[in-house]
Amino acid sequence: MKKLALLLPALALAACGEEPAPEPVATEVAAPEPIETLAAPDQAYFTTKYAEACPDEDAVNTAICKRAGMGSPDVVCEFGLGEDEYLRNKATLTAGDGEWTFADPENVCVG
């Protein structure tokens, strides 16, 4: 009986001041437009771009390209030329007009 006497004031306080929640208002939500992104460049693509930019240089032997950072439009490619199997060189590609282009074309060629 004592427990019931202790619960009644708590229940009475809990019931006070309760109002029905307002009904949600229907709003129109626009669907986000899809963002077109370029496929990440691979070794074959980078090899072709480098050969176009630097026809007098050795051919690209190996290359790895990865995003410069989260949300960055740039891709950093590390590559080796000729017989070199190590990734000693770097070039930055940036997205533009539906294709990858060198961010600093004047300084792409190693030699």
Side-chain angles (χ1 to χ4, degrees), residues 2-85:
K2 286 184 180 181
K3 290 182 182 178
L4 185 58
L6 292 174
L7 285 176
L8 284 178
L11 291 175
L13 286 174
C16 292
E18 284 190 25
E19 297 178 13
E23 292 186 30
V25 178
T27 58
E28 291 184 30
V29 178
E33 292 186 27
I35 299 172
E36 292 185 27
T37 58
L38 291 172
D42 58 3
Q43 179 173 333
Y45 184 85
F46 181 79
T47 300
T48 303
K49 284 302 246 186
Y50 188 82
E52 291 171 3
C54 308
D56 297 333
E57 297 291 321
D58 289 339
V60 172
N61 179 29
T62 184
I64 296 175
C65 298
K66 50 189 166 187
R67 289 279 179 190
M70 285 189 69
S72 175
D74 296 338
V75 173
V76 175
C77 296
E78 298 181 63
F79 60 98
L81 298 173
E83 298 295 320
D84 192 1
E85 63 189 45

Side-chain angles (χ1 to χ4, degrees), residues 4 6 23 31 38 42 52 80 89 91 93 96 99 104 107-109:
L4 185 58
L6 292 174
E23 292 186 30
L38 291 172
D42 58 3
E52 291 171 3
N89 309 295
L93 295 172
E99 70 174 348
D104 188 12
N107 295 320
V108 171
C109 301

